[in-house]
Coordinates of all heavy atoms in Angstrom, one line a residue:
M204 N 0.8 -1.2 0.0 CA 0.0 0.0 0.0 C 0.9 1.2 0.0 O 1.9 1.3 0.6 CB -0.9 0.0 1.2 CG -2.2 -0.7 1.0 SD -3.1 -0.9 2.5 CE -3.6 0.7 2.9
I205 N 0.4 2.3 -0.7 CA 1.2 3.5 -0.8 C 1.4 4.1 0.6 O 2.5 4.7 0.8 CB 0.5 4.5 -1.8 CG1 1.5 5.6 -2.2 CG2 -0.8 5.0 -1.2 CD1 2.6 5.2 -3.1
E206 N 0.5 4.0 1.5 CA 0.7 4.6 2.8 C 1.9 3.9 3.5 O 2.6 4.6 4.2 CB -0.6 4.4 3.7 CG -1.8 5.3 3.2 CD -2.5 4.7 2.1 OE1 -2.3 3.5 1.8 OE2 -3.3 5.4 1.4
D207 N 2.0 2.6 3.4 CA 3.1 1.9 4.0 C 4.4 2.4 3.4 O 5.4 2.6 4.1 CB 3.0 0.4 3.8 CG 1.8 -0.2 4.5 OD1 1.4 0.4 5.5 OD2 1.3 -1.2 4.1
A208 N 4.4 2.6 2.1 CA 5.7 3.1 1.4 C 6.0 4.5 2.0 O 7.2 4.8 2.3 CB 5.5 3.1 -0.1
L209 N 5.0 5.3 2.1 CA 5.2 6.7 2.5 C 5.8 6.7 4.0 O 6.6 7.5 4.3 CB 4.0 7.5 2.4 CG 3.5 7.8 1.0 CD1 2.1 8.5 1.0 CD2 4.5 8.7 0.3
N210 N 5.3 5.8 4.8 CA 5.8 5.7 6.2 C 7.2 5.3 6.3 O 7.9 5.6 7.3 CB 4.9 4.7 7.0 CG 3.5 5.3 7.3 OD1 3.4 6.5 7.3 ND2 2.5 4.5 7.4
K211 N 7.8 4.7 5.3 CA 9.2 4.3 5.3 C 10.1 5.4 4.9 O 11.3 5.3 5.1 CB 9.4 3.1 4.3 CG 8.8 1.8 4.6 CD 9.2 0.8 3.6 CE 8.4 -0.5 3.7 NZ 8.7 -1.4 2.6
L212 N 9.6 6.5 4.3 CA 10.4 7.5 3.8 C 10.7 8.6 4.9 O 9.8 8.9 5.7 CB 9.7 8.2 2.6 CG 9.5 7.4 1.4 CD1 8.7 8.1 0.4 CD2 10.9 7.0 0.8
P213 N 11.9 9.2 4.8 CA 12.1 10.4 5.7 C 11.1 11.4 5.3 O 10.7 11.5 4.2 CB 13.5 10.8 5.3 CG 14.1 9.7 4.6 CD 13.0 8.9 4.0
E214 N 10.7 12.2 6.3 CA 9.6 13.2 6.1 C 9.9 14.1 4.9 O 9.0 14.4 4.1 CB 9.5 14.0 7.4 CG 8.2 14.9 7.4 CD 8.4 16.3 6.8 OE1 9.6 16.7 6.7 OE2 7.4 16.8 6.4
I215 N 11.1 14.5 4.7 CA 11.4 15.4 3.6 C 11.1 14.8 2.3 O 10.8 15.6 1.3 CB 12.9 15.9 3.7 CG1 13.1 17.1 2.8 CG2 13.9 14.7 3.4 CD1 14.5 17.8 3.1
L216 N 11.2 13.5 2.2 CA 10.9 12.9 0.9 C 9.4 12.7 0.7 O 8.9 12.2 -0.4 CB 11.6 11.5 0.7 CG 13.1 11.6 0.7 CD1 13.7 10.2 0.6 CD2 13.6 12.5 -0.4
T217 N 8.6 13.0 1.7 CA 7.1 12.9 1.5 C 6.5 14.2 1.2 O 5.3 14.3 1.1 CB 6.5 12.3 2.8 OG1 6.7 13.2 3.9 CG2 7.1 10.9 3.1
R218 N 7.3 15.2 1.0 CA 6.8 16.5 0.7 C 6.6 16.6 -0.9 O 7.3 15.9 -1.6 CB 7.7 17.6 1.1 CG 7.9 17.7 2.6 CD 8.8 18.8 3.0 NE 9.3 18.7 4.3 CZ 10.3 19.4 4.8 NH1 11.0 20.2 4.1 NH2 10.7 19.2 6.1
D219 N 5.8 17.5 -1.3 CA 5.7 17.8 -2.7 C 5.4 16.5 -3.5 O 6.0 16.3 -4.6 CB 6.9 18.5 -3.2 CG 7.2 19.8 -2.5 OD1 6.2 20.5 -2.1 OD2 8.4 20.1 -2.3
L220 N 4.5 15.7 -3.0 CA 4.3 14.4 -3.7 C 3.6 14.6 -5.1 O 3.8 13.8 -6.0 CB 3.4 13.5 -2.9 CG 4.0 13.0 -1.6 CD1 2.9 12.3 -0.7 CD2 5.2 12.1 -1.9
E221 N 2.9 15.7 -5.3 CA 2.2 16.0 -6.5 C 3.0 16.9 -7.4 O 2.5 17.4 -8.4 CB 0.9 16.6 -6.2 CG -0.1 15.7 -5.4 CD -0.5 14.5 -6.2 OE1 -0.6 14.5 -7.4 OE2 -0.7 13.4 -5.5
R222 N 4.3 17.1 -7.1 CA 5.2 17.8 -8.0 C 6.1 16.9 -8.8 O 6.3 15.7 -8.4 CB 6.0 18.8 -7.2 CG 5.2 19.9 -6.5 CD 6.0 20.8 -5.7 NE 6.5 21.9 -6.6 CZ 7.3 22.8 -6.1 NH1 7.6 22.9 -4.8 NH2 7.7 23.8 -6.9
N223 N 6.6 17.4 -9.9 CA 7.4 16.5 -10.7 C 8.7 16.2 -10.0 O 9.5 17.1 -9.5 CB 7.8 17.2 -12.0 CG 6.7 17.2 -13.0 OD1 5.8 16.4 -12.9 ND2 6.8 18.0 -14.0
L224 N 9.0 14.9 -9.9 CA 10.3 14.5 -9.5 C 11.2 14.5 -10.8 O 12.3 14.9 -10.8 CB 10.3 13.0 -8.9 CG 11.6 12.4 -8.5 CD1 11.4 11.4 -7.4 CD2 12.3 11.8 -9.6
C225 N 10.6 14.0 -11.9 CA 11.3 14.0 -13.2 C 10.7 15.1 -14.0 O 9.6 15.0 -14.6 CB 11.2 12.7 -13.8 SG 12.0 12.6 -15.4
V226 N 11.4 16.2 -14.2 CA 10.9 17.3 -14.9 C 11.0 17.1 -16.4 O 10.3 17.6 -17.2 CB 11.6 18.7 -14.6 CG1 11.2 19.1 -13.2 CG2 13.1 18.6 -14.8
C227 N 12.0 16.2 -16.8 CA 12.2 15.9 -18.2 C 10.9 15.2 -18.8 O 10.6 15.5 -20.0 CB 13.4 15.0 -18.5 SG 15.0 15.8 -18.1
N228 N 10.3 14.4 -18.0 CA 9.2 13.6 -18.5 C 7.9 13.8 -17.7 O 7.0 13.0 -17.9 CB 9.5 12.1 -18.5 CG 10.5 11.8 -19.6 OD1 10.5 12.3 -20.7 ND2 11.5 11.0 -19.3
D229 N 7.8 14.9 -16.9 CA 6.6 15.2 -16.2 C 6.1 14.0 -15.3 O 5.0 13.6 -15.4 CB 5.5 15.6 -17.1 CG 5.7 17.0 -17.6 OD1 6.4 17.8 -17.0 OD2 5.1 17.3 -18.7
V230 N 7.0 13.4 -14.5 CA 6.7 12.3 -13.7 C 6.6 12.8 -12.2 O 7.6 13.3 -11.7 CB 7.7 11.1 -13.8 CG1 7.2 10.0 -13.0 CG2 7.8 10.8 -15.3
L231 N 5.5 12.6 -11.6 CA 5.3 13.0 -10.2 C 6.0 12.2 -9.2 O 6.2 11.0 -9.5 CB 3.8 13.0 -9.8 CG 2.8 13.8 -10.7 CD1 1.4 13.6 -10.2 CD2 3.2 15.3 -10.8
R232 N 6.5 12.8 -8.1 CA 7.2 12.0 -7.1 C 6.3 10.8 -6.6 O 6.8 9.7 -6.4 CB 7.5 12.9 -5.9 CG 8.2 12.2 -4.8 CD 8.4 13.1 -3.6 NE 9.1 14.3 -3.9 CZ 10.4 14.4 -3.6 NH1 11.1 13.5 -3.1 NH2 11.0 15.6 -3.9
I233 N 5.0 11.1 -6.4 CA 4.1 10.0 -5.9 C 4.0 8.9 -6.9 O 3.9 7.7 -6.5 CB 2.7 10.6 -5.6 CG1 1.9 9.6 -4.8 CG2 2.0 11.1 -6.8 CD1 2.3 9.3 -3.4
D234 N 4.1 9.2 -8.2 CA 4.1 8.1 -9.2 C 5.3 7.2 -9.1 O 5.2 6.0 -9.3 CB 3.9 8.7 -10.6 CG 2.6 9.3 -10.8 OD1 1.6 9.0 -10.0 OD2 2.4 10.1 -11.8
V235 N 6.5 7.8 -8.8 CA 7.7 7.0 -8.7 C 7.6 6.2 -7.4 O 7.9 5.0 -7.5 CB 8.9 8.0 -8.6 CG1 10.2 7.2 -8.3 CG2 9.1 8.7 -9.9
I236 N 7.1 6.8 -6.3 CA 7.0 6.0 -5.1 C 6.0 4.8 -5.3 O 6.3 3.7 -4.9 CB 6.5 6.9 -4.0 CG1 7.6 8.0 -3.6 CG2 6.1 6.1 -2.7 CD1 7.1 9.1 -2.7
Q237 N 4.9 5.1 -6.0 CA 3.9 4.0 -6.3 C 4.5 2.9 -7.1 O 4.3 1.7 -6.9 CB 2.7 4.6 -7.0 CG 1.6 3.6 -7.1 CD 0.2 4.2 -7.0 OE1 0.1 5.4 -7.1 NE2 -0.7 3.4 -6.9
A238 N 5.3 3.3 -8.1 CA 6.0 2.3 -9.0 C 6.9 1.4 -8.1 O 6.9 0.2 -8.3 CB 6.7 3.0 -10.1
I239 N 7.7 2.0 -7.3 CA 8.6 1.2 -6.4 C 7.8 0.4 -5.5 O 8.1 -0.8 -5.3 CB 9.5 2.2 -5.6 CG1 10.4 3.0 -6.5 CG2 10.3 1.4 -4.6 CD1 11.2 4.1 -5.9
D240 N 6.7 0.9 -4.9 CA 5.8 0.1 -4.0 C 5.2 -1.1 -4.7 O 4.9 -2.1 -4.1 CB 4.8 1.1 -3.5 CG 3.9 0.4 -2.4 OD1 4.5 -0.2 -1.5 OD2 2.7 0.5 -2.4
E241 N 5.0 -0.9 -6.0 CA 4.4 -2.0 -6.8 C 5.4 -3.0 -7.4 O 5.1 -3.8 -8.2 CB 3.5 -1.4 -7.9 CG 2.3 -0.7 -7.3 CD 1.5 0.1 -8.4 OE1 1.9 0.1 -9.6 OE2 0.4 0.6 -8.0
G242 N 6.7 -2.8 -7.0 CA 7.7 -3.8 -7.4 C 8.8 -3.4 -8.2 O 9.7 -4.1 -8.5
A243 N 8.8 -2.1 -8.7 CA 9.9 -1.6 -9.5 C 11.1 -1.4 -8.5 O 11.1 -0.4 -7.8 CB 9.5 -0.4 -10.2
D244 N 12.0 -2.4 -8.5 CA 13.1 -2.3 -7.4 C 14.4 -1.9 -8.0 O 15.4 -2.1 -7.3 CB 13.1 -3.6 -6.7 CG 13.4 -4.8 -7.6 OD1 13.5 -4.6 -8.8 OD2 13.4 -5.9 -7.0
T245 N 14.5 -1.5 -9.2 CA 15.7 -1.0 -9.8 C 15.4 0.3 -10.6 O 14.3 0.6 -10.9 CB 16.4 -2.0 -10.8 OG1 15.5 -2.1 -11.9 CG2 16.6 -3.3 -10.1
L246 N 16.5 1.1 -10.8 CA 16.3 2.3 -11.7 C 15.7 2.0 -13.0 O 14.8 2.7 -13.5 CB 17.6 3.0 -11.9 CG 18.2 3.8 -10.7 CD1 19.6 4.3 -11.1 CD2 17.3 5.0 -10.5
E247 N 16.1 0.9 -13.6 CA 15.6 0.5 -14.9 C 14.1 0.2 -14.9 O 13.4 0.6 -15.7 CB 16.4 -0.7 -15.4 CG 16.0 -1.3 -16.8 CD 16.0 -0.2 -17.9 OE1 16.8 0.7 -17.8 OE2 15.3 -0.4 -18.9
K248 N 13.7 -0.6 -13.8 CA 12.3 -0.9 -13.7 C 11.5 0.4 -13.5 O 10.3 0.5 -14.0 CB 12.1 -1.9 -12.6 CG 12.6 -3.3 -12.9 CD 12.3 -4.2 -11.8 CE 13.0 -5.6 -12.1 NZ 12.9 -6.5 -10.9
V249 N 12.0 1.3 -12.7 CA 11.2 2.6 -12.5 C 11.1 3.3 -13.8 O 10.1 3.9 -14.1 CB 11.9 3.4 -11.4 CG1 11.3 4.8 -11.3 CG2 11.9 2.7 -10.0
R250 N 12.2 3.3 -14.5 CA 12.2 4.0 -15.8 C 11.2 3.4 -16.8 O 10.4 4.1 -17.4 CB 13.6 3.9 -16.5 CG 13.7 4.7 -17.8 CD 15.0 4.5 -18.5 NE 15.1 3.1 -19.0 CZ 14.5 2.6 -20.1 NH1 13.6 3.4 -20.8 NH2 14.6 1.4 -20.4
Q251 N 11.2 2.1 -16.8 CA 10.2 1.4 -17.7 C 8.8 1.7 -17.3 O 7.9 1.8 -18.2 CB 10.5 -0.1 -17.7 CG 11.8 -0.5 -18.4 CD 12.1 -2.0 -18.3 OE1 11.4 -2.7 -17.5 NE2 13.1 -2.4 -19.0
K252 N 8.6 1.7 -16.0 CA 7.2 1.9 -15.6 C 6.7 3.3 -15.6 O 5.5 3.6 -15.8 CB 7.1 1.4 -14.1 CG 5.8 0.8 -13.8 CD 5.9 0.0 -12.5 CE 4.6 -0.7 -12.2 NZ 4.6 -1.6 -11.1
T253 N 7.6 4.3 -15.4 CA 7.1 5.7 -15.2 C 7.8 6.7 -16.2 O 7.3 7.8 -16.4 CB 7.5 6.2 -13.8 OG1 8.9 6.3 -13.7 CG2 7.0 5.3 -12.7
Y254 N 8.8 6.3 -16.9 CA 9.7 7.1 -17.7 C 10.5 8.1 -17.0 O 11.3 8.9 -17.6 CB 8.8 7.9 -18.8 CG 8.1 7.0 -19.7 CD1 6.8 6.7 -19.6 CD2 8.8 6.4 -20.8 CE1 6.1 5.8 -20.4 CE2 8.1 5.5 -21.6 CZ 6.8 5.2 -21.5 OH 6.2 4.4 -22.3
A255 N 10.5 8.1 -15.6 CA 11.4 8.9 -14.8 C 12.8 8.4 -15.1 O 13.0 7.2 -15.3 CB 11.1 8.8 -13.3
T256 N 13.7 9.3 -15.2 CA 15.2 9.1 -15.5 C 15.4 8.9 -17.0 O 16.6 8.7 -17.4 CB 15.9 7.9 -14.8 OG1 15.5 6.7 -15.3 CG2 15.5 8.0 -13.3
D257 N 14.4 8.9 -17.8 CA 14.5 8.6 -19.2 C 14.8 9.8 -20.1 O 14.9 9.8 -21.3 CB 13.2 7.9 -19.7 CG 13.5 7.1 -21.0 OD1 14.6 6.6 -21.1 OD2 12.5 7.0 -21.8
G258 N 15.0 11.0 -19.4 CA 15.4 12.2 -20.2 C 16.9 12.2 -20.2 O 17.5 11.3 -20.7
N259 N 17.5 13.2 -19.7 CA 18.9 13.2 -19.6 C 19.5 12.6 -18.3 O 20.7 12.6 -18.1 CB 19.5 14.6 -19.8 CG 19.1 15.6 -18.7 OD1 18.6 15.1 -17.7 ND2 19.2 16.9 -19.0
G260 N 18.6 12.0 -17.5 CA 19.0 11.3 -16.4 C 19.3 12.1 -15.1 O 19.8 11.6 -14.1
C261 N 18.9 13.4 -15.2 CA 19.2 14.2 -14.1 C 18.5 13.9 -12.8 O 18.9 14.4 -11.7 CB 19.0 15.7 -14.5 SG 17.6 16.0 -15.4
C262 N 17.5 13.1 -12.8 CA 16.8 12.8 -11.6 C 17.2 11.4 -11.0 O 16.5 10.9 -10.1 CB 15.3 12.8 -11.8 SG 14.7 11.6 -13.0
K263 N 18.2 10.8 -11.6 CA 18.6 9.4 -11.1 C 18.9 9.3 -9.7 O 18.5 8.4 -9.0 CB 19.8 8.9 -11.9 CG 19.4 8.4 -13.3 CD 20.6 7.8 -14.0 CE 20.3 7.3 -15.3 NZ 21.5 6.8 -16.0
R264 N 19.5 10.3 -9.1 CA 19.9 10.3 -7.7 C 18.7 10.4 -6.8 O 18.6 9.7 -5.8 CB 20.9 11.4 -7.4 CG 22.2 11.2 -8.0 CD 23.2 12.2 -7.6 NE 23.7 12.0 -6.2 CZ 24.8 11.3 -5.9 NH1 25.5 10.7 -6.8 NH2 25.1 11.1 -4.7
Q265 N 17.7 11.1 -7.3 CA 16.4 11.2 -6.5 C 15.7 9.9 -6.5 O 15.2 9.4 -5.5 CB 15.5 12.3 -7.0 CG 16.1 13.7 -6.8 CD 15.1 14.7 -7.4 OE1 14.0 14.9 -6.8 NE2 15.4 15.3 -8.5
V266 N 15.6 9.3 -7.6 CA 15.0 8.0 -7.7 C 15.8 6.9 -6.9 O 15.2 6.1 -6.2 CB 14.8 7.5 -9.2 CG1 14.2 6.1 -9.3 CG2 13.9 8.5 -10.0
Q267 N 17.1 7.0 -7.0 CA 17.9 6.0 -6.3 C 17.7 6.2 -4.8 O 17.6 5.2 -4.1 CB 19.4 6.3 -6.6 CG 20.3 5.4 -5.8 CD 21.2 4.6 -6.7 OE1 21.3 4.7 -7.9 NE2 22.0 3.7 -6.0
R268 N 17.6 7.4 -4.3 CA 17.3 7.6 -2.9 C 16.0 7.0 -2.5 O 15.9 6.4 -1.4 CB 17.3 9.1 -2.7 CG 17.1 9.5 -1.2 CD 18.2 9.2 -0.3 NE 17.9 9.6 1.0 CZ 18.0 8.9 2.1 NH1 18.4 7.6 2.0 NH2 17.7 9.3 3.3
L269 N 15.0 7.2 -3.3 CA 13.7 6.6 -3.0 C 13.8 5.1 -2.9 O 13.3 4.4 -2.1 CB 12.6 7.0 -4.0 CG 12.2 8.5 -3.9 CD1 11.3 8.8 -5.0 CD2 11.5 8.7 -2.5
L270 N 14.5 4.5 -3.9 CA 14.7 3.0 -3.9 C 15.5 2.6 -2.7 O 15.1 1.6 -2.1 CB 15.5 2.7 -5.2 CG 14.8 2.6 -6.5 CD1 15.7 2.7 -7.7 CD2 13.9 1.4 -6.6
E271 N 16.5 3.3 -2.3 CA 17.2 2.9 -1.1 C 16.3 3.0 0.2 O 16.3 2.0 1.0 CB 18.4 3.9 -0.9 CG 19.5 3.6 -1.8 CD 20.6 4.8 -1.8 OE1 20.4 5.7 -1.1 OE2 21.5 4.7 -2.6
C272 N 15.5 4.0 0.3 CA 14.7 4.1 1.5 C 13.6 3.1 1.5 O 13.3 2.5 2.5 CB 14.0 5.5 1.5 SG 15.2 6.8 1.8
L273 N 13.0 2.8 0.3 CA 11.9 1.9 0.3 C 12.3 0.4 0.3 O 11.5 -0.5 0.5 CB 11.0 2.2 -0.9 CG 10.4 3.5 -0.9 CD1 9.7 3.9 -2.2 CD2 9.4 3.6 0.3
S274 N 13.6 0.1 0.0 CA 14.1 -1.3 0.1 C 15.0 -1.5 1.3 O 15.6 -2.5 1.4 CB 14.8 -1.6 -1.2 OG 16.0 -0.8 -1.3
E275 N 14.9 -0.6 2.2 CA 15.8 -0.6 3.4 C 15.7 -1.9 4.2 O 16.7 -2.4 4.6 CB 15.4 0.6 4.3 CG 16.6 1.2 5.0 CD 16.2 2.5 5.6 OE1 15.2 2.5 6.4 OE2 16.8 3.5 5.3
D276 N 14.5 -2.4 4.3 CA 14.4 -3.6 5.1 C 14.5 -4.9 4.4 O 14.1 -6.0 4.9 CB 13.1 -3.5 5.9 CG 11.9 -3.3 5.0 OD1 12.1 -3.2 3.8 OD2 10.8 -3.3 5.5
T277 N 14.9 -4.9 3.1 CA 15.1 -6.1 2.4 C 16.5 -6.6 2.5 O 17.4 -5.8 2.8 CB 14.8 -6.0 0.9 OG1 15.6 -5.0 0.4 CG2 13.3 -5.5 0.7
E278 N 16.8 -7.9 2.3 CA 18.1 -8.4 2.5 C 19.0 -8.0 1.4 O 20.2 -7.6 1.6 CB 18.1 -9.9 2.6 CG 17.7 -10.4 3.9 CD 17.8 -11.9 4.0 OE1 18.6 -12.5 3.3 OE2 17.0 -12.5 4.8
S279 N 18.6 -8.0 0.2 CA 19.4 -7.7 -1.0 C 19.2 -6.2 -1.3 O 18.2 -5.6 -0.9 CB 19.1 -8.5 -2.2 OG 17.7 -8.2 -2.6
T280 N 20.1 -5.6 -2.0 CA 20.0 -4.3 -2.5 C 20.1 -4.3 -4.0 O 21.1 -4.1 -4.6 CB 21.1 -3.4 -1.9 OG1 22.4 -4.0 -2.2 CG2 20.9 -3.1 -0.4
P281 N 18.9 -4.5 -4.6 CA 18.9 -4.7 -6.1 C 19.4 -3.5 -6.9 O 19.7 -3.7 -8.0 CB 17.5 -5.0 -6.4 CG 16.7 -4.5 -5.2 CD 17.6 -4.6 -4.0
I282 N 19.5 -2.4 -6.3 CA 19.9 -1.2 -7.0 C 21.5 -1.1 -7.1 O 22.0 -0.3 -7.7 CB 19.4 0.1 -6.5 CG1 19.7 0.2 -5.0 CG2 17.9 0.1 -6.7 CD1 19.3 1.6 -4.4
A283 N 22.1 -2.0 -6.3 CA 23.6 -1.9 -6.2 C 24.3 -2.0 -7.6 O 25.3 -1.3 -7.8 CB 24.1 -3.0 -5.3
S284 N 23.7 -2.8 -8.5 CA 24.4 -2.9 -9.8 C 24.2 -1.7 -10.7 O 24.8 -1.6 -11.7 CB 23.8 -4.1 -10.5 OG 22.5 -4.0 -10.8
E285 N 23.3 -0.8 -10.2 CA 23.1 0.4 -11.0 C 23.6 1.7 -10.3 O 23.1 2.7 -10.5 CB 21.6 0.5 -11.3 CG 21.1 -0.6 -12.1 CD 19.6 -0.3 -12.4 OE1 19.3 0.5 -13.3 OE2 18.8 -1.0 -11.8
N286 N 24.6 1.5 -9.5 CA 25.2 2.6 -8.8 C 25.6 3.7 -9.8 O 26.0 3.5 -10.9 CB 26.4 2.2 -8.0 CG 26.0 1.5 -6.7 OD1 24.9 1.6 -6.3 ND2 27.0 0.8 -6.2
I287 N 25.4 4.9 -9.3 CA 25.8 6.1 -10.1 C 27.3 6.1 -10.1 O 28.0 5.9 -9.1 CB 25.2 7.3 -9.5 CG1 23.7 7.2 -9.7 CG2 25.8 8.6 -10.1 CD1 22.9 8.3 -9.0
T288 N 27.9 6.3 -11.2 CA 29.4 6.2 -11.4 C 30.1 7.4 -11.0 O 31.3 7.4 -10.8 CB 29.7 5.8 -12.8 OG1 29.2 6.8 -13.7 CG2 29.2 4.5 -13.2
H289 N 29.4 8.5 -10.8 CA 30.1 9.8 -10.4 C 30.8 9.6 -9.0 O 30.1 9.3 -8.0 CB 29.1 10.9 -10.3 CG 29.7 12.2 -9.8 ND1 30.6 12.9 -10.5 CD2 29.5 12.8 -8.6 CE1 31.0 13.9 -9.7 NE2 30.3 13.9 -8.6
D290 N 32.1 9.8 -9.0 CA 32.8 9.7 -7.7 C 33.0 11.2 -7.2 O 33.8 11.9 -7.8 CB 34.1 9.0 -7.9 CG 34.9 8.9 -6.6 OD1 34.5 9.4 -5.6 OD2 36.0 8.3 -6.7
P291 N 32.4 11.5 -6.1 CA 32.5 12.9 -5.6 C 33.9 13.2 -5.0 O 34.3 14.3 -4.8 CB 31.5 13.0 -4.5 CG 31.2 11.6 -4.1 CD 31.5 10.8 -5.3
F292 N 34.7 12.1 -4.8 CA 36.0 12.3 -4.2 C 37.1 11.5 -5.1 O 37.6 10.5 -4.7 CB 36.1 11.7 -2.8 CG 35.1 12.3 -1.9 CD1 34.0 11.6 -1.5 CD2 35.2 13.7 -1.5 CE1 33.0 12.2 -0.7 CE2 34.2 14.2 -0.7 CZ 33.1 13.5 -0.3
P293 N 37.3 12.0 -6.3 CA 38.2 11.3 -7.2 C 39.6 11.3 -6.6 O 40.0 12.2 -5.9 CB 38.2 12.2 -8.5 CG 37.6 13.4 -8.1 CD 36.8 13.2 -6.8
K294 N 40.3 10.2 -6.9 CA 41.7 10.1 -6.4 C 42.7 10.8 -7.2 O 42.6 11.1 -8.3 CB 42.1 8.6 -6.3 CG 41.2 7.9 -5.4 CD 41.4 6.4 -5.4 CE 40.5 5.7 -4.4 NZ 39.7 4.8 -5.0
Ligands
FES343 S1 14.5 15.1 -14.6 FE1 14.3 13.0 -14.9 S2 15.5 12.6 -16.6 FE2 15.8 14.7 -16.3

């Protein structure tokens, strides 16, 4: 249920649910949360279901954060293979 998913999220991520998370494709934050709640457990699955991240990819980190929060209590971390490659602390 979407309410259960929302309860797993930090309060700040439950704000502005009816605003675009993905501005490239007009995808609402609540639609991404709902897609994850319905089983989209990777960035690719969220993209296929909602088209979020399918523009220039600028919302990937936001989607990844939602995936991390909503899959927190599962044993595996299915998003691990899709880690963002940007290293904020290059050697
Ligand atoms: S905001 Fe989602 S791909 Fe650009």
Side-chain angles (χ1 to χ4, degrees):
M204 271 170 69
I205 193 71
E206 290 81 14
D207 294 336
L209 292 173
N210 286 335
K211 290 181 188 176
L212 294 174
E214 192 273 337
I215 194 167
L216 295 181
T217 64
R218 297 179 195 165
D219 301 326
L220 294 173
E221 298 295 328
R222 295 179 83 181
N223 281 344
L224 180 152
C225 178
V226 294
C227 292
N228 289 319
D229 287 336
V230 183
L231 304 177
R232 181 188 300 264
I233 190 68
D234 290 343
V235 172
I236 293 169
Q237 185 146 15
I239 296 169
D240 188 48
E241 291 172 357
D244 57 0
T245 65
L246 280 175
E247 178 61 22
K248 288 180 187 175
V249 171
R250 185 189 66 76
Q251 288 174 353
K252 214 164 180 174
T253 67
Y254 298 102
T256 76
D257 203 27
N259 63 16
C261 41
C262 62
K263 279 185 180 176
R264 291 184 75 89
Q265 291 182 70
V266 175
Q267 175 124 6
R268 178 73 177 127
L269 290 173
L270 283 163
E271 287 168 359
C272 291
L273 295 173
S274 65
E275 215 167 55
D276 54 359
T277 60
E278 280 185 31
S279 64
T280 51
I282 57 174
S284 63
E285 295 183 75
N286 282 343
I287 294 171
T288 55
H289 172 71
D290 182 357
F292 305 107
K294 294 175 180 122

